[in-house]
Amino acid sequence: MSDVEFKATRKVYEDGTVGLDDLDLRIEEGEFLVLLGPSGCGKSTALRLLAGLEDITDGAINIGGARVNDLPPGARGLGMVFQSYALYPHMTVRENLSFGLRRTRGSDKVPPNEVVARVDEAASMLDLEKALDKKPKELSGGQQQRVAIGRALVRRPKVLLMDEPLSNLDAKLRNRMRFELRRLHEMHGTTTLYVTHDQIEAMTLADRIAILKDGRLQQHDKPLNAYNQPANSFVASFLGTPAMNLIEGRAAHGRFEAGELAFDLPPHLADADGPGFYGIRPENTHISEGGVPFTLGGVEHLGGEAIFHLEAGGHWIKALWRRKGTEAVAPHPEPGSQQPVILTDSSALFFKE
Ligand code: ADP
């Protein structure tokens, strides 16, 4: 069994900083869980506690049902892949992959024929067969990263930990590796904890996402659930580009008011009441007759789509337009013009916090 459980896990550093605040989180066996959040939210702390690189202040961590709080890192059955993959430069890919296995001793000893078999299997899975006799400097960044992953996988870890493993790669390679990582996971099925601040990685890689803020878990959910039903305005603003529009104001009697900006709430939010944030994603915000008047501040042209920056009563929102065919080449409205904006899509949300 290789499920992972954080149980009221707390980390307070020596200087009093709370790195992780009573985290309750379960990673099912075979699951790919992404820990997501901005810098300083406690992602690496959670990962380091699980890895045994930091002591737990309170609570527990279980792997496969067994408490590991006091186990040294090497005895936890983990494989780790970090941002800097630090391959041994003087060794070939084959030697880099087999190094850890060749050093096993005693009852953990992996016999030589098994080492060869596991290296071959990893090379095949990672498409590194032709690179086995090359040195790291002869490889592309993506191949080097794959060797680092292979090095962790040949150990047959119970749990694979990855800490921002793609952040050293250029944008194009990052996109490709993201896709490959998911494909690889489907193949080897190792329980995985993946740390990132990149919401696109989280959305595309995760079976489930755990979103942290200030050391506290905000939401633990499937990616599309977190996207469509964010638990609060923080999660709403963190997932999606451009981010969800959040207008701070007050709801009462079926209307939402934010200073000079006021409009009727859509029927599904008619009962919203009190201060809060009205949330609507840019892609669900339409410029169309009958909408609330906004002033067009500017347009960002992205080719197939355009982002309209719109202002009313001091509130700025974004509307995303996707246009096809002949529509796509029609001129956009001029900045400074008045535009009616429909804000009452059935996907709109109201957040108390
Ligand atoms: P993330 O990985 O999400 O960027 P971290 O887990 O590294 O966040 O940090 C969480 C919080 O703990 C931050 O406020 C950070 O400054 C603090 N922190 C991390 N490591 C230490 C440390 N060794 N000593 C004191 N505070 C730390």
Side-chain angles (χ1 to χ4, degrees), residues 265-272 278 344-349:
L265 287 163
H268 70 285
L269 296 178
D271 293 338
Y278 187 82
T344 47
D345 189 82
S346 62
S347 66
L349 297 163

Side-chain angles (χ1 to χ4, degrees), residues 297-319:
V299 183
E300 286 178 274
H301 300 282
L302 304 174
E305 47 192 40
I307 300 169
F308 289 67
H309 294 252
L310 298 145
E311 185 268 339
H315 299 278
W316 282 90
I317 64 160
K318 292 175 186 170

Side-chain angles (χ1 to χ4, degrees), residues 95-348:
E95 288 163 342
N96 265 286
L97 288 174
S98 61
F99 183 72
L101 294 181
R102 283 186 281 125
R103 291 201 326 163
T104 51
R105 296 282 176 267
S107 59
D108 292 333
K109 173 86 184 151
V110 180
N113 56 344
E114 172 72 12
V115 173
V116 172
R118 287 200 201 175
V119 168
D120 286 348
E121 184 193 68
S124 153
M125 194 193 284
L126 292 154
D127 200 15
L128 286 168
E129 285 137 317
K130 293 202 179 88
L132 277 172
D133 294 312
K134 292 186 176 169
K135 298 271 175 65
K137 67 172 189 303
E138 299 171 81
L139 305 179
S140 68
Q143 285 174 314
Q144 292 186 28
Q145 184 58 277
R146 272 184 280 164
V147 177
I149 294 165
R151 200 170 48 177
L153 285 179
V154 293
R155 306 292 297 265
R156 302 269 161 87
K158 284 196 242 171
V159 183
L160 189 60
L161 306 184
M162 300 206 208
D163 193 356
E164 306 257 359
L166 304 185
S167 44
N168 276 355
L169 305 176
D170 65 48
K172 201 169 155 195
L173 194 52
R174 203 157 55 221
N175 289 349
R176 213 180 74 206
M177 284 300 294
R178 209 168 60 211
F179 184 72
E180 283 191 23
L181 279 180
R182 185 64 221 183
R183 187 183 60 88
L184 263 176
H185 178 73
E186 315 268 320
M187 280 199 272
H188 61 73
T190 309
T191 308
T192 302
L193 178 67
Y194 184 104
V195 160
T196 185
H197 64 274
D198 183 325
Q199 53 98 15
I200 297 180
E201 281 177 26
M203 289 297 294
T204 52
L205 282 168
D207 292 315
R208 282 192 294 174
I209 306 181
I211 299 146
L212 291 177
K213 180 191 175 202
D214 299 335
R216 289 193 146 264
L217 182 63
Q218 306 293 306
Q219 188 165 5
H220 175 209
D221 218 328
K222 291 183 178 164
L224 284 177
N225 289 350
Y227 187 85
N228 291 319
Q229 292 297 328
N232 55 37
S233 59
F234 173 79
V235 176
S237 67
F238 206 76
L239 294 177
T241 27
M244 184 185 283
N245 296 303
L246 291 168
I247 305 168
E248 188 169 5
R250 175 175 280 278
H253 312 299
R255 247 179 111 66
F256 183 77
E257 289 190 12
E260 288 168 30
L261 174 62
F263 52 90
D264 287 339
L265 287 163
H268 70 285
L269 296 178
D271 293 338
D273 191 44
F277 296 88
Y278 187 82
I280 182 158
R281 295 212 176 267
E283 62 267 34
N284 300 327
T285 309
H286 307 287
I287 295 178
S288 181
E289 269 176 45
V292 184
F294 273 75
T295 305
L296 182 62
V299 183
E300 286 178 274
H301 300 282
L302 304 174
E305 47 192 40
I307 300 169
F308 289 67
H309 294 252
L310 298 145
E311 185 268 339
H315 299 278
W316 282 90
I317 64 160
K318 292 175 186 170
L320 186 71
W321 255 21
R322 296 199 178 96
R323 306 196 302 182
K324 289 185 288 212
T326 48
E327 211 192 5
V329 290
H332 285 303
E334 287 296 316
S337 60
Q338 290 285 308
Q339 299 294 332
V341 183
I342 308 276
L343 296 168
T344 47
D345 189 82
S346 62
S347 66

Side-chain angles (χ1 to χ4, degrees), residues 11-20 36-48 54 163-164 195-197 212 214-215:
K11 174 67 183 178
V12 184
Y13 287 102
E14 271 177 22
D15 64 0
T17 308
V18 178
L20 201 60
L36 175 71
S39 178
C41 72
K43 308 180 291 293
S44 307
T45 299
L47 184 126
R48 290 201 303 267
E54 297 275 3
D163 193 356
E164 306 257 359
V195 160
T196 185
H197 64 274
L212 291 177
D214 299 335

Side-chain angles (χ1 to χ4, degrees), residues 11-32:
K11 174 67 183 178
V12 184
Y13 287 102
E14 271 177 22
D15 64 0
T17 308
V18 178
L20 201 60
D21 202 358
D22 292 345
L23 177 66
D24 282 308
L25 181 66
R26 195 179 149 81
I27 311 170
E28 300 296 340
E29 173 149 13
E31 188 176 32
F32 196 122

